Amino acid sequence: MTDDRIVPVAMPKWGLSMQLGKITAWVVAEGDEVQVGDDLADIETEKITGTLEAADELAGAGIEAEVVDPRTTSPLDEDTILESVEGTGRLVVVDEATPRCNLATDISALVARKAFGALRAPIEMVTAPHTPVPFSGSLEDLYIPDPQRVVNTVKTVTEWKRDG
């Protein structure tokens, strides 16, 4: 007997710590830093393995990115995020959602409101584009933030200099 309310759903490709539609392991406990660094705070809200790949590539270029996985959105671990930004002076937030009304904007606003004085560069977000989610697999690969976009954004933030 089949249940006509059950519909198969195609899940996106996952990182190394996940299988199709099933979480196999959490990377860290709530509030733990995934990777410590001095140059930049990188807050990941969705797929941590892509950001860790980016952090490894950045380390090869001499940029130490501190990667934080907040694990929960409500309550949001504000203390860990703020401590990370205060320690590095820079912030890149990675989120698979579109750039409007997402967790990346919430985290950016939190840091701008509570740690503005600690910032040495503008906050940047790496998000999906402000478009509907595509149904084509090849377009989805372009839609979701990938490690190279994170690397490029982090380099832009770490190289930023105030004019004047």
Side-chain angles (χ1 to χ4, degrees):
M1 183 171 151
T2 61
D3 186 341
D4 60 357
R5 296 173 297 166
I6 299 173
V7 177
V9 176
M11 298 294 289
K13 289 186 234 173
W14 296 104
L16 300 175
S17 67
M18 301 181 94
Q19 294 175 347
L20 183 63
K22 176 183 171 192
I23 297 173
T24 57
W26 285 112
V27 177
V28 293
E30 180 178 343
D32 285 351
E33 293 170 356
V34 177
Q35 180 169 316
V36 178
D38 295 325
D39 296 319
L40 177 116
D42 188 343
I43 310 298
E44 168 64 51
T45 65
E46 301 280 339
K47 197 164 55 169
I48 195 73
T49 40
T51 301
L52 291 174
E53 291 171 25
D56 288 344
E57 183 175 333
L58 289 162
I63 299 171
E64 295 180 26
E66 181 170 284
V67 179
V68 175
D69 179 6
R71 286 279 309 274
T72 61
T73 59
S74 185
L76 182 62
D77 186 357
E78 293 182 8
D79 291 338
T80 299
I81 293 167
L82 295 171
E83 286 172 19
S84 181
V85 171
E86 288 166 356
T88 63
R90 298 178 182 93
L91 173 64
V92 171
V93 187
V94 182
D95 190 350
E96 289 184 10
T98 59
R100 307 291 187 276
C101 304
N102 65 17
L103 193 58
T105 58
D106 290 351
I107 290 172
S108 298
L110 167 75
V111 170
R113 188 173 66 250
K114 294 188 175 183
F116 183 78
L119 291 171
R120 299 186 308 190
I123 297 168
E124 291 290 338
M125 299 185 304
V126 180
T127 65
H130 190 53
T131 63
V133 178
F135 287 99
S136 163
S138 60
L139 290 177
E140 186 177 308
D141 289 342
L142 297 171
Y143 180 85
I144 295 174
D146 66 348
Q148 192 57 54
R149 282 185 51 209
V150 175
V151 167
N152 294 343
T153 304
V154 167
K155 286 182 177 180
T156 298
V157 170
T158 57
E159 294 168 0
W160 185 86
K161 302 280 188 247
R162 186 176 308 279
D163 290 335

